[in-house]
Structures are given as C-alpha cells and as structure tokens.
Amino acid sequence: MSTALRANWSFPTRIWAGPGRIAELSEACSQLRIRRPLIVTDRGLVQQPMLQSALATLPHAALFGDVKGNPTGSNVEAGLRAYRDGAHDGVVAFGGGSALDTGKAVAFMSGQRRPMWDFEDIGDWWTRADPAGIAPVIAVPTTAGTGSEVGRAAVILNETSHEKKIIFHPQMMPAIVISDPELTVGLPPNITAATGMDAFVHCFEAFCAPGFHPFADGVALEGMRLIARFLPPACADGRDLEARANMLAAASMGAAAFQKGLGAVHAIAHPVGSWFDTHHGLTNAIVLPYVMRHNRSAIAAKSELIARLLDLRSPGFDALFEWVLELRQCLGIPHSLADIGVDVGNASVIGQQAARDPSAAGNPTPVDAATLEGIFRTAVAGDLQVVG
C-alpha cells in the first residue's frame, strides 16, 4: 500500500507525496540551498514528536511556533523578527493552514520594505514587491483542508480593521511540498472532518464559480469525488493511510482549482472567523448548505453533474443538497453557526465585510452586503427554509 501511495508530482509545484517522506526534508532544503531554515508552525505542534523529529534532521534550523488558529499580522511580524534575527535563508512551513499561511508570509516579507498590507490581492498590488526579497519555502501540511501548500497567497487577519486580508504574490508558491499522510494520522476526527469539509467547499465553490476554466473544473470534480470517498473513512479510522493520502491530495486539488474563484461561503466565513475566532474549515462546512440554497437556480446544471459523479440516488440539486446535509451529520458538523458560539449582534458588519471579500465576486449569483447578511443570519439561526 505504501509503495502505491508514493509519487512525485509537478502540479502546480513539486510535490513529494507518500508515507514516510518527511525523512526527505533535509534533501528538500539542500535542493533549494536552504542552510539555515526557520520552521514556522502553530502552537499546538511545537512539542509534537513529529515536529521535533523533523527539527533534529536540520542542524542549523530554528523553530518559531507562535501562530494562532486564525493567523494575525502580529504573528507574521513576530515570525519575521525571528527570521531576521536568526539570519535564516528559507522557511519550512509545517502544520495546518495557519502555519502554512504564516510561513509563506514570513518568507515573502523577509526582503520587502513596504508594509505587508500593501501587497493585498487587489489589482496589481503584487507588483510592488521585490521578487529578489522572497525567500524559498518548503511546505509540510499536517491537515488535509486548506491546500495552502500549493497556494500563491496567505490569509492573514488585520487586527486594526478586523478583516482577513489575502496577501498575494506568484512567488509565494512553496517550491517543494512534502505531502506525508503519516503526519496526519494523529489528527482527531473532528479536525479531520472540519478540514476535509474545507477542501470540499474549495472544490465545490471553484466548480460552481462562473467563467471558462475547464482545467480547474476537472480538478475540482475529481477532488469532490475523492473527498466523498475518503473523508468518512479518514474520520472513522485515522490510521487509514489510503484515506489520509487521498485527502491530502484532494486538499491540494481544491486549492489548485479555486484559482478559478470561490464564492459566498468563503466570503461569509472570513469575517465570521475574524470576529468570532472560529475554525475556518468548520465555519465553511456550516455555512455551505445555506449558500447552496441561495444559489440553487444558478447551480442546477452543475449540481446534476456533481450528483452523477457522486453516484447519488437521483441527479439534481435536491439529491446533492440532501447528501451534503447527511455528510455533515455523519461527520458531526454542527447545523448552525449559533452552535459554535456565533451570534447576529454585528450581522451588518459581517455582511459588509463579506461583500468586500474577494471571494464574493466568484459567487454564481451576484451578492451584496444585504444579501450576505441575510444568508449569515439564516446560518446563525439554522433555518434553511427561508434561504433562497
């Protein structure tokens, strides 16, 4: 089984996939001429044996482990200080999406002179950056969700404006990804479910986004098929390496596909995460059916194709919608945002920020602040009957 799961891919970057491949971390550093790497990780992984083992293979490495679940600008600034103080020459981003995003942002900012917010994904702002000042990154995902290991951007919370900002540059793409399913074996079922649903939403929103992008559509469809097949067994038995390996692949596929676009699920989830510090993947999983119901008329044909792909009992939106609800229930995903402590006290602000989020532009139907506020309110209430 391990041999069958082992491969090297070059799409969209170099990916070394397979059990045990974390042993090749030092070789990855050597190939990129990284002699003094800074390992960037989140607080929960600092003392984990897998991280300490990886650190032991890199004699001149240092560790920065002060990254929150929703990474902030101050997290990046602290990591940048550690990078410069240690005279590092590359980053190993090790962990879930928060660690990967922070690590990429630290490497990107290591040689820049402008504030990070000057490189938000707006127009051609990325051209303000000095490409020579971007350090190389090796990404080591330990969750199968965000797909940040194959992304050219980082989502960072601006604590001043209380908004998540997308920092973008084409050279933020990690040069090598080590996709080792053994690193995800210890992930608890609830985190496996939440991150896996994040990957599904990436694929689903990318496929439903308007525009002509058959490459992204094909990757998104296969990603959804893999998630439907392998997410439940990955949650049921965390030691199932076949399920874990396929979920890692599907997560990377989702991030590759969403260059086509995302939609209202992400547009709402970003400000919800900013204000309530909720888990991003879990927030997406909860919001998904409320946005699906709103977009029903625009995604009917695509829903039929997805339903056929997933071999549902009947084609069409209704079957796919019921399948999503059943999958969420099977995985223990809460039904409403209220179930995870979200209220409507600042619903208007959530709607306004969601409308400004770049993801909103990819929604299959045009959405404004009032519309997004309405969807948010129904997701808090858990009332699917009044959406649409």
Side-chain angles (χ1 to χ4, degrees):
M1 182 66 72
S2 295
T3 302
L5 295 174
R6 184 183 179 91
N8 288 358
W9 303 320
S10 296
F11 180 79
T13 188
R14 278 191 285 172
I15 301 176
W16 298 353
R21 301 208 67 176
I22 189 59
E24 300 173 54
L25 179 58
S26 61
E27 172 61 21
C29 288
S30 177
Q31 288 195 20
L32 298 180
R33 299 182 179 179
I34 300 175
R35 295 176 177 84
R36 296 180 58 84
L38 178 68
I39 299 181
V40 176
T41 192
D42 58 70
R43 297 167 181 172
L45 284 179
V46 169
Q47 298 301 324
Q48 291 296 315
M50 63 178 173
L51 180 61
Q52 294 300 319
S53 296
L55 186 60
T57 68
L58 305 173
H60 303 296
L63 180 64
F64 174 75
D66 192 19
V67 177
K68 294 178 60 179
N70 285 297
T72 64
S74 58
N75 289 156
V76 176
E77 291 170 4
L80 193 55
R81 285 194 298 271
Y83 185 92
R84 291 171 174 166
D85 290 348
H88 295 286
D89 57 1
V91 168
V92 176
F94 195 113
S98 58
L100 300 183
D101 278 5
T102 304
K104 291 193 299 183
V106 168
F108 170 68
M109 289 299 299
S110 62
Q112 308 305 322
R113 296 187 177 182
R114 302 180 68 137
M116 180 173 62
W117 312 117
D118 282 0
F119 307 108
E120 187 179 351
D121 188 14
I122 297 176
D124 64 353
W125 283 18
W126 64 272
T127 61
R128 298 170 171 176
D130 177 6
I134 304 174
V137 176
I138 298 166
V140 184
T142 62
T143 65
T146 68
S148 182
E149 66 274 6
V150 297
R152 302 170 296 168
V155 181
I156 306 295
L157 175 63
N158 184 323
E159 296 149 295
T160 301
S161 67
H162 221 86
E163 291 182 272
K164 286 189 176 183
K165 300 291 187 178
I166 299 175
I167 309 303
F168 168 81
H169 193 279
Q171 289 181 220
M172 287 180 73
M173 175 84 74
I176 296 177
V177 177
I178 297 179
S179 186
D180 186 341
E182 290 182 352
L183 301 181
T184 69
V185 163
L187 206 63
N190 64 317
I191 302 300
T192 300
T195 53
M197 286 298 295
D198 190 21
F200 181 83
V201 174
H202 289 161
C203 293
F204 180 81
E205 287 207 295
F207 183 67
C208 292
F212 179 68
H213 202 320
F215 288 90
D217 287 345
V219 171
L221 282 169
E222 176 63 3
M224 284 187 276
R225 189 191 70 82
L226 290 177
I227 294 164
R229 167 68 180 84
F230 289 107
L231 180 54
C235 292
D237 179 5
R239 297 166 298 178
D240 185 335
L241 284 182
E242 182 184 14
R244 292 293 194 182
N246 278 281
M247 283 304 302
L248 277 172
S252 295
M253 293 166 73
F258 73 56
Q259 63 180 292
K260 181 189 175 193
L262 288 168
V265 177
H266 275 78
I268 293 169
H270 285 154
V272 170
S274 298
W275 286 99
F276 295 94
D277 199 25
T278 56
H279 184 280
H280 175 68
L282 181 61
T283 309
N284 277 339
I286 294 172
V287 172
L288 174 59
Y290 302 93
V291 172
M292 287 179 67
R293 182 60 62 85
H294 174 81
N295 289 333
R296 176 174 185 155
S297 62
I299 63 174
K302 292 186 175 183
S303 295
E304 180 171 348
L305 180 56
I306 298 170
R308 291 183 183 280
L309 176 78
L310 300 182
D311 197 25
L312 302 185
R313 57 184 173 268
S314 61
F317 177 87
D318 289 339
L320 179 61
F321 187 76
E322 289 302 319
W323 177 83
V324 167
L325 295 181
E326 291 169 4
L327 178 63
R328 293 197 321 162
Q329 185 175 22
C330 170
L331 299 177
I333 301 295
H335 181 64
S336 73
L337 289 175
D339 292 333
I340 59 171
V342 176
D343 60 49
V344 295
N346 57 351
S348 177
V349 174
I350 296 287
Q352 292 166 21
Q353 292 187 353
R356 291 196 296 268
D357 192 282
S359 302
N363 199 64
T365 60
V367 286
D368 57 17
T371 300
L372 291 163
E373 178 185 342
I375 298 172
F376 166 71
R377 286 181 177 275
T378 61
V380 173
D383 187 357
L384 283 167
Q385 300 304 313
V386 300
V387 182

